[in-house]
Amino acid sequence: MVDRIVNSHGERLDFSFHSGTPGSKRIVVIGHGVTGHKDRPFHLALADGLAGAGIHALRVSWSGNGGSEGRFADSTITKEVADLGSVIDALPDYEVTYAGHSMGGAVGVLRASQDARIRRLISLAGMVHVRAFAEHHFGKLTPGRDLMWDKSGMVLSAAYMDDLRHIGSTVEAASRISVPWLLVHGNADSLVALQDSRDAFAAGREPKELVVFDGCDHVWEPGFTPRMVDTVVGWCART
């Protein structure tokens, strides 16, 4: 069990722990996407499904998001990669699998490409071409003034845009992923194109698996959350 997680900036990260089989050392850390948080319904459903299968799960909100400390204006992929490292630091007795949704998928690829403590990787509608994503969705907004997707309090920051433009793409990092890797994506996703997962899958090493849901959007609608959970839980059980 984990009592407290603090990142390298001294900011407390809000998390929820779901207990699996007592004594088990397997845990799946679940990370969210941009403007998200740990309590989105499909994160909760996934954590409950894993725990029901005996695998511990930990849902975390990155710094500046949800109930975590820090400023949303400082939220970037690079900072969240470091946050994930702090989460893993707090789990020294566990065998860690990381599951990231959307931008959280990019976080996972970048962290797993450099951190051998991630033993398995799961990308859920994972963002890969991050510069293209930023330009397409936010390129016409003014940083420091305009809201991301008109969400209250979530003002687009220059730091966020600069970071995504600097990273460009996670394809090169994907080429260094050699742990078991599951990618799940819907072909009706209008926020992160299925091609992102296809490009990451092509770059990654074996063992890897790409699962495509026909008619599924970015947040596992309409009605795809149970299927996503079953796919992830089944894959974790097999690996």
Side-chain angles (χ1 to χ4, degrees):
M1 191 66 178
V2 185
D3 295 323
R4 181 177 171 85
I5 302 177
V6 178
N7 69 9
S8 60
H9 298 273
E11 297 160 343
R12 178 191 57 80
L13 301 183
D14 185 31
F15 68 91
S16 296
F17 190 96
H18 298 245
S19 295
T21 301
S24 171
K25 297 302 181 183
R26 293 190 64 182
I27 189 167
V28 177
V29 175
I30 302 171
H32 63 82
V34 61
T35 73
H37 51 79
K38 70 178 180 66
D39 295 323
R40 299 195 74 174
F42 56 87
H43 289 311
L44 178 60
L46 178 56
D48 284 343
L50 288 162
I55 302 169
H56 304 302
L58 186 149
R59 296 179 287 119
V60 62
S61 289
W62 306 125
S63 54
N65 292 267
S68 291
E69 294 178 349
R71 301 192 314 152
F72 179 75
D74 297 326
S75 298
T76 65
I77 289 180
T78 297
K79 189 180 182 191
E80 292 174 5
V81 170
D83 282 356
L84 179 53
S86 297
V87 173
I88 299 172
D89 288 343
L91 301 169
D93 298 325
Y94 291 91
E95 179 184 297
V96 175
T97 297
Y98 174 72
H101 176 250
S102 193
M103 195 170 90
V107 169
V109 170
L110 293 171
R111 188 81 217 182
S113 71
Q114 60 178 286
D115 193 335
R117 296 176 299 173
I118 296 179
R119 303 290 298 276
R120 300 171 188 84
L121 181 64
I122 301 167
S123 297
L124 303 172
M127 192 189 300
V128 175
H129 301 299
V130 298
R131 181 191 297 119
F133 175 90
E135 298 293 352
H136 177 71
H137 292 287
F138 307 125
K140 295 182 180 179
L141 302 183
T142 300
R145 185 191 71 187
D146 293 336
L147 298 175
M148 304 171 79
W149 293 307
D150 294 322
K151 292 187 176 182
S152 177
M154 294 185 172
V155 178
L156 176 69
S157 73
Y160 175 81
M161 293 296 287
D162 289 346
D163 190 62
L164 268 66
R165 286 166 175 155
H166 174 73
I167 292 169
S169 170
T170 64
V171 168
E172 191 279 327
S175 71
R176 291 183 269 122
I177 302 297
S178 57
V179 297
W181 188 5
L182 172 67
L183 302 93
V184 186
H185 214 125
N187 66 5
D189 191 333
S190 61
L191 288 182
V192 177
L194 172 59
Q195 192 61 45
D196 278 40
S197 283
R198 286 176 171 157
D199 291 344
F201 180 77
R205 306 175 188 177
E206 297 290 348
K208 58 186 178 179
E209 182 177 350
L210 172 62
V211 177
V212 178
F213 293 162
D214 186 31
C216 176
D217 72 4
H218 190 61
V219 292
W220 318 111
E221 294 295 340
F224 281 91
T225 293
R227 186 173 169 188
M228 179 272 287
V229 172
D230 288 346
T231 298
V232 171
V233 172
W235 181 83
C236 287
R238 295 195 305 274
T239 58

